[in-house]
Coordinates of all heavy atoms in Angstrom, one line a residue:
Chain A
R197 N 81.3 -121.4 -193.9 CA 82.6 -121.7 -194.6 C 82.6 -123.1 -195.1 O 82.1 -124.0 -194.5 CB 83.7 -121.4 -193.6 CG 83.8 -120.0 -193.2 CD 85.2 -119.5 -192.8 NE 85.6 -120.3 -191.6 CZ 86.9 -120.5 -191.3 NH1 87.8 -119.9 -192.0 NH2 87.2 -121.2 -190.3
G198 N 83.4 -123.3 -196.2 CA 83.5 -124.6 -196.8 C 84.5 -124.6 -197.8 O 85.3 -123.7 -198.1
F199 N 84.7 -125.7 -198.5 CA 85.6 -125.9 -199.6 C 85.1 -127.0 -200.5 O 84.3 -127.8 -200.2 CB 87.1 -126.1 -199.1 CG 87.3 -127.4 -198.5 CD1 87.6 -128.5 -199.1 CD2 87.2 -127.5 -197.0 CE1 87.9 -129.8 -198.6 CE2 87.5 -128.7 -196.4 CZ 87.8 -129.8 -197.1
V200 N 85.7 -127.0 -201.7 CA 85.3 -128.0 -202.7 C 86.5 -128.7 -203.2 O 87.6 -128.2 -203.1 CB 84.5 -127.4 -204.0 CG1 83.2 -126.8 -203.5 CG2 85.4 -126.4 -204.7
E201 N 86.3 -130.0 -203.6 CA 87.4 -130.7 -204.2 C 86.9 -131.2 -205.6 O 85.7 -131.4 -205.8 CB 87.7 -131.9 -203.4 CG 88.7 -131.4 -202.2 CD 89.1 -132.5 -201.2 OE1 88.5 -133.6 -201.3 OE2 90.1 -132.3 -200.6
K208 N 85.4 -131.2 -217.9 CA 85.4 -130.9 -219.3 C 85.5 -129.4 -219.6 O 85.2 -129.0 -220.7 CB 84.2 -131.6 -220.0 CG 84.2 -133.0 -219.9 CD 83.0 -133.7 -220.6 CE 83.0 -135.2 -220.5 NZ 81.7 -135.7 -220.6
C210 N 83.7 -126.8 -218.9 CA 82.5 -126.1 -219.5 C 82.3 -124.7 -218.8 O 81.6 -123.9 -219.4 CB 81.3 -127.0 -219.3 SG 80.7 -127.1 -217.6
E211 N 82.8 -124.5 -217.7 CA 82.8 -123.2 -217.0 C 81.5 -122.9 -216.3 O 81.2 -121.8 -215.8 CB 83.2 -122.0 -217.9 CG 84.6 -122.1 -218.6 CD 85.0 -121.0 -219.3 OE1 84.5 -119.8 -219.1 OE2 86.0 -121.1 -220.1
L212 N 80.6 -123.8 -216.3 CA 79.2 -123.6 -215.8 C 79.4 -123.4 -214.2 O 78.6 -122.6 -213.6 CB 78.3 -124.8 -216.1 CG 77.9 -125.0 -217.5 CD1 76.9 -126.1 -217.7 CD2 77.3 -123.7 -218.1
K215 N 80.5 -119.8 -213.4 CA 79.4 -118.9 -213.6 C 78.3 -119.1 -212.4 O 77.7 -118.1 -212.0 CB 78.7 -119.3 -214.9 CG 77.7 -118.4 -215.4 CD 78.3 -117.4 -216.4 CE 77.2 -116.5 -216.9 NZ 77.4 -115.1 -216.9
A216 N 78.2 -120.2 -211.9 CA 77.2 -120.5 -210.9 C 77.6 -120.1 -209.5 O 76.8 -119.8 -208.7 CB 76.7 -122.0 -210.9
K231 N 92.8 -134.8 -220.7 CA 92.0 -134.8 -221.8 C 92.2 -133.6 -222.6 O 91.6 -133.4 -223.6 CB 90.5 -135.0 -221.5 CG 90.1 -136.3 -220.9 CD 88.6 -136.5 -221.0 CE 88.1 -137.4 -220.0 NZ 87.2 -136.8 -219.0
M238 N 89.9 -123.6 -207.3 CA 89.4 -122.6 -206.3 C 90.5 -121.5 -206.3 O 91.5 -121.5 -205.7 CB 89.4 -123.2 -204.9 CG 88.3 -124.2 -204.7 SD 88.2 -124.7 -202.9 CE 87.1 -123.5 -202.3
Y241 N 89.8 -119.3 -202.6 CA 89.4 -120.5 -201.8 C 88.8 -120.0 -200.5 O 87.8 -120.7 -200.0 CB 90.4 -121.5 -201.6 CG 91.7 -121.1 -201.0 CD1 91.8 -121.0 -199.5 CD2 92.8 -120.6 -201.7 CE1 92.9 -120.6 -199.0 CE2 93.9 -120.2 -201.1 CZ 94.0 -120.2 -199.7 OH 95.1 -119.7 -199.1
D242 N 89.3 -119.0 -199.9 CA 88.8 -118.6 -198.5 C 87.4 -117.9 -198.6 O 86.8 -117.5 -197.6 CB 89.8 -117.8 -197.8 CG 90.3 -116.5 -198.5 OD1 89.8 -116.3 -199.7 OD2 91.0 -115.8 -197.9
Q243 N 86.9 -117.7 -199.8 CA 85.5 -117.1 -199.9 C 84.4 -118.2 -200.0 O 83.3 -117.8 -200.1 CB 85.5 -116.3 -201.2 CG 86.4 -115.0 -201.1 CD 86.1 -114.1 -199.9 OE1 85.0 -113.7 -199.8 NE2 87.2 -113.9 -199.1
C244 N 84.8 -119.5 -200.1 CA 83.8 -120.5 -200.3 C 82.9 -120.7 -199.1 O 83.5 -120.7 -197.9 CB 84.5 -121.8 -200.7 SG 83.4 -123.2 -200.8
G246 N 80.6 -123.3 -199.1 CA 80.0 -124.7 -199.1 C 78.5 -124.7 -199.5 O 77.8 -125.6 -199.2
C247 N 78.2 -123.8 -200.4 CA 76.7 -123.7 -200.7 C 76.3 -124.7 -201.8 O 75.2 -125.0 -202.0 CB 76.4 -122.3 -201.3 SG 77.1 -122.0 -203.0
A248 N 77.3 -125.3 -202.5 CA 77.1 -126.5 -203.4 C 76.4 -126.0 -204.7 O 76.1 -126.8 -205.6 CB 76.3 -127.5 -202.8
S249 N 76.3 -124.7 -205.0 CA 75.8 -124.2 -206.3 C 76.6 -124.8 -207.4 O 76.1 -125.2 -208.5 CB 75.8 -122.7 -206.3 OG 74.9 -122.2 -205.4
A251 N 78.4 -127.5 -207.6 CA 78.1 -128.9 -207.8 C 76.8 -129.2 -208.4 O 76.6 -130.2 -209.1 CB 78.3 -129.6 -206.4
M252 N 75.8 -128.4 -208.0 CA 74.5 -128.6 -208.6 C 74.4 -128.5 -210.1 O 73.7 -129.2 -210.8 CB 73.5 -127.6 -208.1 CG 73.1 -127.8 -206.6 SD 72.3 -129.4 -206.3 CE 73.7 -130.1 -205.4
V253 N 75.2 -127.6 -210.7 CA 75.1 -127.4 -212.2 C 76.2 -128.2 -212.9 O 76.2 -128.3 -214.2 CB 75.3 -125.9 -212.6 CG1 74.1 -125.1 -212.0 CG2 76.6 -125.3 -212.2
C254 N 77.2 -128.8 -212.3 CA 78.3 -129.5 -212.9 C 77.7 -130.7 -213.6 O 77.3 -131.7 -213.0 CB 79.4 -129.9 -212.0 SG 80.6 -130.8 -212.8
P255 N 77.8 -130.8 -214.9 CA 77.2 -131.9 -215.7 C 78.0 -133.2 -215.5 O 77.5 -134.3 -215.8 CB 77.2 -131.5 -217.1 CG 77.5 -130.0 -217.1 CD 78.2 -129.8 -215.9
D256 N 79.3 -133.1 -215.1 CA 80.1 -134.3 -215.0 C 80.4 -134.7 -213.6 O 81.2 -135.6 -213.4 CB 81.4 -134.1 -215.9 CG 81.0 -134.1 -217.4 OD1 80.9 -135.2 -217.9 OD2 80.7 -133.1 -218.0
V257 N 79.6 -134.2 -212.7 CA 79.7 -134.6 -211.3 C 81.2 -134.6 -210.8 O 81.6 -135.6 -210.2 CB 79.0 -135.9 -211.0 CG1 78.4 -135.9 -209.6 CG2 77.9 -136.2 -212.0
I259 N 82.6 -132.3 -208.8 CA 82.8 -131.5 -207.5 C 82.2 -132.2 -206.3 O 81.1 -132.7 -206.3 CB 82.1 -130.1 -207.7 CG1 82.8 -129.3 -208.9 CG2 82.4 -129.2 -206.4 CD1 82.1 -128.1 -209.3
T260 N 83.0 -132.2 -205.3 CA 82.6 -132.7 -203.9 C 82.7 -131.5 -203.0 O 83.6 -130.6 -203.1 CB 83.6 -133.8 -203.4 OG1 83.4 -135.0 -204.2 CG2 83.3 -134.2 -202.0
V261 N 81.7 -131.3 -202.2 CA 81.6 -130.1 -201.3 C 81.7 -130.5 -199.9 O 81.0 -131.4 -199.4 CB 80.2 -129.4 -201.5 CG1 80.1 -128.1 -200.9 CG2 80.0 -129.2 -203.1
Y262 N 82.5 -129.7 -199.1 CA 82.6 -129.8 -197.7 C 82.1 -128.5 -197.0 O 82.3 -127.4 -197.6 CB 84.1 -130.0 -197.3 CG 84.6 -131.4 -197.8 CD1 85.1 -131.5 -199.1 CD2 84.7 -132.4 -196.9 CE1 85.6 -132.7 -199.5 CE2 85.2 -133.6 -197.3 CZ 85.7 -133.8 -198.5 OH 86.2 -135.0 -199.0
K263 N 81.5 -128.7 -195.9 CA 81.0 -127.4 -195.2 C 81.1 -127.6 -193.7 O 80.9 -128.6 -193.2 CB 79.5 -127.3 -195.6 CG 78.9 -126.1 -195.1 CD 77.5 -125.9 -195.7 CE 76.9 -124.6 -195.2 NZ 75.6 -124.2 -195.9
V264 N 81.4 -126.5 -193.1 CA 81.4 -126.4 -191.6 C 80.0 -126.1 -191.2 O 79.5 -125.0 -191.6 CB 82.4 -125.3 -191.1 CG1 82.4 -125.4 -189.5 CG2 83.7 -125.5 -191.6
K265 N 79.4 -127.0 -190.5 CA 77.9 -126.7 -190.1 C 77.8 -125.9 -188.8 O 78.6 -126.1 -187.9 CB 77.2 -128.1 -190.0 CG 77.1 -128.7 -191.3 CD 75.7 -129.1 -191.6 CE 75.6 -129.9 -193.0 NZ 74.5 -130.6 -193.3
Chain B
D181 N 98.9 -123.0 -199.3 CA 97.9 -122.3 -198.5 C 96.6 -123.0 -198.6 O 95.9 -123.0 -197.5 CB 97.8 -120.8 -199.1 CG 99.0 -120.0 -198.9 OD1 99.9 -120.5 -198.2 OD2 99.1 -119.0 -199.5
I182 N 96.1 -123.4 -199.7 CA 94.8 -124.0 -199.9 C 94.7 -125.3 -199.1 O 93.7 -125.6 -198.4 CB 94.4 -124.1 -201.3 CG1 93.0 -124.7 -201.5 CG2 95.4 -125.0 -202.1 CD1 92.3 -124.5 -202.8
Y185 N 94.4 -124.5 -195.5 CA 93.1 -124.0 -195.3 C 92.0 -125.1 -195.1 O 91.2 -125.1 -194.2 CB 92.6 -123.1 -196.5 CG 91.3 -122.3 -196.3 CD1 91.2 -121.3 -195.4 CD2 90.1 -122.7 -196.9 CE1 90.0 -120.6 -195.2 CE2 89.0 -122.1 -196.8 CZ 88.9 -121.1 -195.9 OH 87.6 -120.5 -195.8
K186 N 92.1 -126.0 -196.0 CA 91.2 -127.2 -195.9 C 91.4 -127.9 -194.6 O 90.4 -128.4 -194.0 CB 91.5 -128.2 -197.1 CG 91.0 -127.7 -198.5 CD 91.3 -128.8 -199.5 CE 91.1 -128.3 -200.9 NZ 91.6 -129.4 -201.9
E188 N 92.4 -126.9 -191.9 CA 91.8 -126.0 -190.8 C 90.3 -126.2 -190.7 O 89.8 -126.4 -189.6 CB 92.2 -124.5 -191.2 CG 92.5 -123.6 -190.1 CD 92.8 -122.2 -190.7 OE1 94.0 -122.1 -191.3 OE2 91.9 -121.4 -190.8
L189 N 89.7 -126.2 -191.9 CA 88.2 -126.3 -191.8 C 87.8 -127.8 -191.4 O 86.9 -127.9 -190.7 CB 87.6 -126.0 -193.2 CG 87.7 -124.6 -193.7 CD1 86.7 -124.4 -194.9 CD2 87.2 -123.6 -192.6
L190 N 88.6 -128.8 -191.8 CA 88.3 -130.2 -191.4 C 88.4 -130.2 -189.9 O 87.6 -130.8 -189.2 CB 89.2 -131.1 -192.1 CG 88.8 -131.3 -193.6 CD1 90.0 -132.2 -194.3 CD2 87.5 -132.1 -193.7
Q192 N 87.8 -127.9 -187.9 CA 86.7 -127.3 -187.3 C 85.4 -128.1 -187.5 O 84.3 -127.6 -187.3 CB 86.6 -125.9 -187.9 CG 87.6 -124.9 -187.4 CD 87.6 -123.6 -188.3 OE1 86.5 -123.2 -188.7 NE2 88.7 -122.9 -188.3
G193 N 85.5 -129.3 -188.1 CA 84.3 -130.1 -188.2 C 83.7 -130.0 -189.6 O 82.5 -130.4 -189.7
A194 N 84.4 -129.5 -190.6 CA 83.8 -129.5 -192.0 C 83.4 -131.0 -192.4 O 84.2 -131.9 -192.2 CB 84.8 -129.0 -193.0
K195 N 82.2 -131.1 -192.9 CA 81.7 -132.4 -193.3 C 81.4 -132.5 -194.8 O 81.1 -131.4 -195.4 CB 80.4 -132.7 -192.6 CG 80.5 -132.8 -191.1 CD 80.6 -134.3 -190.7 CE 80.8 -134.5 -189.3 NZ 81.8 -133.7 -188.6
K196 N 81.6 -133.6 -195.4 CA 81.2 -133.7 -196.8 C 79.7 -133.7 -197.0 O 79.0 -134.4 -196.4 CB 81.7 -135.1 -197.3 CG 81.8 -135.3 -198.8 CD 82.1 -136.7 -199.1 CE 83.6 -137.1 -199.0 NZ 83.8 -138.5 -199.5
I197 N 79.3 -132.7 -197.7 CA 77.8 -132.5 -197.9 C 77.3 -132.8 -199.2 O 76.1 -133.0 -199.5 CB 77.3 -131.1 -197.5 CG1 78.0 -130.1 -198.4 CG2 77.6 -130.7 -196.1 CD1 77.1 -128.8 -198.6
F198 N 78.2 -133.0 -200.2 CA 77.8 -133.4 -201.6 C 79.0 -134.1 -202.3 O 80.1 -133.6 -202.3 CB 77.3 -132.2 -202.4 CG 77.0 -132.7 -203.8 CD1 75.7 -133.1 -204.0 CD2 78.0 -132.7 -204.8 CE1 75.4 -133.6 -205.3 CE2 77.7 -133.2 -206.1 CZ 76.4 -133.6 -206.3
T199 N 78.7 -135.3 -202.8 CA 79.5 -136.0 -203.7 C 78.8 -136.9 -204.6 O 77.6 -137.0 -204.5 CB 80.6 -136.8 -202.9 OG1 81.7 -137.2 -203.7 CG2 80.0 -138.1 -202.2
K200 N 79.5 -137.4 -205.6 CA 78.8 -138.3 -206.7 C 78.1 -139.5 -206.1 O 78.7 -140.2 -205.3 CB 79.9 -138.6 -207.7 CG 79.4 -139.4 -208.9 CD 80.5 -139.6 -209.9 CE 80.1 -140.5 -210.9 NZ 81.0 -140.6 -212.1
L204 N 75.7 -143.7 -209.8 CA 76.3 -143.5 -211.1 C 77.6 -144.3 -211.1 O 78.4 -144.3 -210.1 CB 76.6 -142.0 -211.3 CG 75.5 -141.1 -211.5 CD1 75.9 -139.6 -211.3 CD2 74.9 -141.3 -212.8
F209 N 80.8 -139.7 -218.3 CA 79.8 -139.4 -219.3 C 80.4 -139.2 -220.7 O 81.4 -138.5 -220.8 CB 79.0 -138.2 -218.9 CG 78.1 -138.4 -217.7 CD1 77.9 -137.3 -216.8 CD2 77.4 -139.5 -217.5 CE1 77.2 -137.5 -215.7 CE2 76.6 -139.7 -216.3 CZ 76.5 -138.6 -215.4
S210 N 79.7 -139.7 -221.7 CA 80.2 -139.5 -223.1 C 79.7 -138.2 -223.7 O 80.0 -137.9 -224.8 CB 79.8 -140.6 -223.9 OG 78.4 -140.8 -223.8
Y211 N 79.0 -137.4 -222.9 CA 78.4 -136.2 -223.3 C 79.4 -135.0 -223.5 O 80.5 -135.0 -222.8 CB 77.2 -135.8 -222.5 CG 76.3 -137.0 -222.2 CD1 76.0 -137.4 -220.9 CD2 76.0 -137.8 -223.3 CE1 75.3 -138.5 -220.6 CE2 75.2 -139.0 -223.0 CZ 74.8 -139.3 -221.7 OH 74.2 -140.4 -221.4
C212 N 79.0 -134.0 -224.3 CA 79.8 -132.8 -224.5 C 79.9 -132.1 -223.2 O 78.9 -132.1 -222.5 CB 79.3 -132.0 -225.6 SG 78.8 -132.8 -227.1
G213 N 81.0 -131.4 -223.0 CA 81.1 -130.6 -221.8 C 79.9 -129.6 -221.7 O 79.6 -129.0 -222.7
G214 N 79.3 -129.4 -220.6 CA 78.3 -128.5 -220.4 C 76.9 -129.0 -220.8 O 75.9 -128.2 -220.7
C215 N 76.8 -130.2 -221.3 CA 75.5 -130.7 -221.7 C 74.6 -131.0 -220.5 O 75.0 -131.8 -219.7 CB 75.7 -131.9 -222.6 SG 74.1 -132.8 -223.0
G218 N 74.0 -134.7 -218.4 CA 74.7 -135.2 -217.2 C 74.0 -134.8 -215.9 O 73.9 -135.7 -215.0
V219 N 73.5 -133.7 -215.8 CA 72.8 -133.2 -214.6 C 71.5 -134.1 -214.4 O 71.2 -134.5 -213.3 CB 72.5 -131.8 -214.7 CG1 71.8 -131.3 -213.4 CG2 73.7 -130.8 -214.9
R222 N 72.3 -137.5 -213.2 CA 72.6 -137.5 -211.8 C 71.4 -137.3 -210.9 O 71.3 -138.1 -209.8 CB 73.6 -136.2 -211.5 CG 73.8 -136.0 -210.0 CD 74.9 -135.0 -209.7 NE 74.5 -133.5 -210.0 CZ 73.7 -132.8 -209.2 NH1 73.2 -133.3 -208.1 NH2 73.4 -131.5 -209.5
H372 N 69.6 -125.5 -215.5 CA 70.7 -124.6 -215.8 C 71.2 -123.7 -214.7 O 72.2 -123.0 -214.8 CB 70.3 -123.8 -217.1 CG 69.2 -122.8 -216.8 ND1 68.0 -123.2 -216.3 CD2 69.2 -121.4 -216.9 CE1 67.2 -122.1 -216.1 NE2 68.0 -121.1 -216.5
T373 N 70.4 -123.7 -213.6 CA 70.9 -122.9 -212.5 C 70.6 -123.7 -211.2 O 69.9 -124.7 -211.2 CB 70.1 -121.6 -212.2 OG1 68.7 -122.0 -211.7 CG2 69.9 -120.7 -213.4
P374 N 71.5 -123.5 -210.1 CA 71.3 -124.3 -209.0 C 69.8 -124.4 -208.5 O 69.4 -125.5 -208.1 CB 72.2 -123.5 -207.9 CG 73.2 -122.8 -208.7 CD 72.5 -122.5 -210.0
V377 N 67.9 -126.7 -210.7 CA 68.3 -128.1 -210.5 C 67.6 -128.6 -209.3 O 67.1 -129.8 -209.3 CB 69.9 -128.2 -210.3 CG1 70.3 -129.5 -209.8 CG2 70.6 -127.8 -211.6
R378 N 67.6 -127.9 -208.2 CA 66.9 -128.4 -207.0 C 65.4 -128.6 -207.2 O 64.8 -129.6 -206.8 CB 67.1 -127.4 -205.9 CG 68.6 -127.4 -205.4 CD 68.8 -126.6 -204.1 NE 70.1 -126.9 -203.6 CZ 71.2 -126.1 -203.7 NH1 71.0 -124.9 -204.3 NH2 72.3 -126.3 -203.2
P414 N 79.0 -123.7 -223.7 CA 77.9 -124.1 -222.7 C 77.3 -122.8 -222.0 O 76.1 -122.8 -221.9 CB 78.7 -124.9 -221.7 CG 79.8 -125.5 -222.5 CD 80.2 -124.4 -223.5
V415 N 78.0 -121.9 -221.7 CA 77.5 -120.7 -221.0 C 76.6 -119.9 -221.9 O 75.5 -119.5 -221.5 CB 78.7 -119.8 -220.4 CG1 78.1 -118.5 -219.8 CG2 79.4 -120.5 -219.3
N418 N 73.2 -121.8 -222.4 CA 72.3 -121.6 -221.4 C 71.6 -120.3 -221.4 O 70.3 -120.2 -221.1 CB 73.0 -121.8 -219.9 CG 73.1 -123.3 -219.7 OD1 72.5 -124.2 -220.3 ND2 73.8 -123.7 -218.6

Side-chain angles (χ1 to χ4, degrees):
Chain A
R197 295 204 301 159
F199 64 89
V200 296
E201 280 181 340
K208 292 181 185 159
C210 71
E211 303 189 19
L212 294 182
K215 192 91 178 135
K231 291 196 204 115
M238 292 184 89
Y241 59 86
D242 56 357
Q243 297 302 306
C244 177
C247 71
S249 294
M252 287 303 108
V253 299
C254 174
D256 288 278
V257 212
I259 303 173
T260 295
V261 185
Y262 293 80
K263 184 173 185 169
V264 183
K265 292 235 180 162
Chain B
D181 294 351
I182 181 159
Y185 185 75
K186 285 182 191 173
E188 218 176 280
L189 291 194
L190 286 170
Q192 290 171 25
K195 294 264 176 313
K196 197 188 278 186
I197 59 154
F198 177 86
T199 195
K200 185 170 168 173
L204 288 170
F209 292 142
S210 50
Y211 312 129
C212 309
C215 173
V219 181
R222 169 172 76 75
H372 69 302
T373 70
V377 170
R378 292 190 165 101
V415 171
N418 279 350

